[in-house]
């Protein structure tokens, strides 16, 4: 009797151990699957990603990612989630002015760059079309840096390029919150992105030094960086204005000079 009970207990313990090993093996397999490479044209969401940053890295727009992946909430992403980052037919996407969200719940929104041009300005691609912000939407900006405009806004340039010298002060064009500060976005060098309200963002690229950090509140006219030529072929500031994630001409919001 006692021998049978002991054997039964040993059998239960062995089954539990085997189940534990099986669960651990399954968990490892799931982890491995979660980190497995994805096919061309797709991206696996990593911790800390936002849809804006994914769009920037893949040179497309937030609106396109929302549309291709049928996302109800662009701020609701799961680690390991696989997203399509190119058009279903593989051609370059056309930017459209839509009302998609431009920031995550943590405020880490960002403008959406397009491929760098041969002239050194990020955001140049003849495959993209850009529409102005709707009438009645506006923001009052000041010039972020002195110097002449090297290249204006066009289908080949998603912002304006302002000449200057190494270390020329770069100031915030309007009050807001810094939602990106770093050099992780190829083609932009040392980049700052400031969110001004629910609709507008400004971006300041190719700096040599960043003087503010993510999450910091800045005032209009506050020095936020020093001009440089990081990831550019000359000393300049590349300045962009984004309305709900889409490119708009900065000259529409800057005072004449």
């Amino acid at each position: 009797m006692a021998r049978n009970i002991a054997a039964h207990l040993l059998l239960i313990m062995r089954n539990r151990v085997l189940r534990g090993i099986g669960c651990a093996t399954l968990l490892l397999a799931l982890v491995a699957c979660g980190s497995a490479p994805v096919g061309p044209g797709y991206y696996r969401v990593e911790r800390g990603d936002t849809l804006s940053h994914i769009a920037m890295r893949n040179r497309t727009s937030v609106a396109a990612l929302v549309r291709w992946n049928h996302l109800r909430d662009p701020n609701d992403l799961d680690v390991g989630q696989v997203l399509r980052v190119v058009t279903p037919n593989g051609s370059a996407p056309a930017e459209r002015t839509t009302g998609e969200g431009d920031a995550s719940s943590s405020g880490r929104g960002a403008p959406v760059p397009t491929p760098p041009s041969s002239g050194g300005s990020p955001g140049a691609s003849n495959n993209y079309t850009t529409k102005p912000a709707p009438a009645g939407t506006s923001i009052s900006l000041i010039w972020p840096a002195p110097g002449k405009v090297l290249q204006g806004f066009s289908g080949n340039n998603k912002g304006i390029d302002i000449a200057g010298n190494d270390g020329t002060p770069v100031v915030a064009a309007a009050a807001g919150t810094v939602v990106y500060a770093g050099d992780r976005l190829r083609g932009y060098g040392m980049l700052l992105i400031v969110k001004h309200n629910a609709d507008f963002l400004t971006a300041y690229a190719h700096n040599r030094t960043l003087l503010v950090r993510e999450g910091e509140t800045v005032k209009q006219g506050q020095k936020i960086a020093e001009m440089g030529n990081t990831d550019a072929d000359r000393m300049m500031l590349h300045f962009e204005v984004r309305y709900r994630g889409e490119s708009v001409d900065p000259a529409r919001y800057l005072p004449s000079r």
Side-chain angles (χ1 to χ4, degrees), residues 195-248:
K195 179 178 180 181
H196 304 293
N197 53 43
D199 295 325
F200 284 95
L201 302 162
T202 54
Y204 312 75
H206 305 312
N207 304 287
R208 78 170 188 184
T209 304
L210 305 182
L211 303 178
V212 291
R213 296 179 294 182
E214 290 182 18
E216 190 170 338
T217 299
V218 297
K219 298 178 180 179
Q220 186 175 55
Q222 177 180 336
K223 184 178 177 181
I224 56 176
E226 293 178 348
M227 193 180 295
N229 61 348
T230 55
D231 229 352
D233 58 3
R234 65 178 300 169
M235 205 69 60
M236 68 176 184
L237 171 70
H238 177 74
F239 176 66
E240 292 188 9
V241 177
R242 295 275 170 157
Y243 174 77
R244 294 184 179 176
E246 306 295 337
S247 303
V248 292

Side-chain angles (χ1 to χ4, degrees), residues 59-129:
R59 298 171 180 175
T60 186
S61 69
V62 172
L65 293 181
V66 170
R67 186 168 62 252
W68 299 336
N69 295 281
H70 309 289
L71 301 177
R72 293 184 177 179
D73 183 355
N75 299 322
D76 185 15
L77 298 178
D78 296 320
V79 174
Q81 180 178 354
V82 176
L83 299 175
R84 177 185 288 277
V85 293
V86 299
T87 55
N89 61 12
S91 62
E95 291 190 356
R96 300 179 181 176
T97 301
T98 62
E100 85 277 354
D102 60 305
S104 70
S105 57
S106 61
R108 291 174 59 98
V112 183
T114 50
S117 68
S118 58
S121 170
S125 171
N126 289 323
N127 294 325
Y128 284 69
T129 59

Side-chain angles (χ1 to χ4, degrees), residues 1 5 13 34-35 47 50-51 56 59 67 84 100 102 114 119 124 135 140 153 168 211 238-239:
M1 179 76 172
I5 293 174
M13 292 176 65
S35 59
R47 187 175 302 279
T50 68
L51 205 62
M56 295 182 85
R59 298 171 180 175
R67 186 168 62 252
R84 177 185 288 277
E100 85 277 354
D102 60 305
T114 50
S140 178
F153 181 86
T168 295
L211 303 178
H238 177 74
F239 176 66

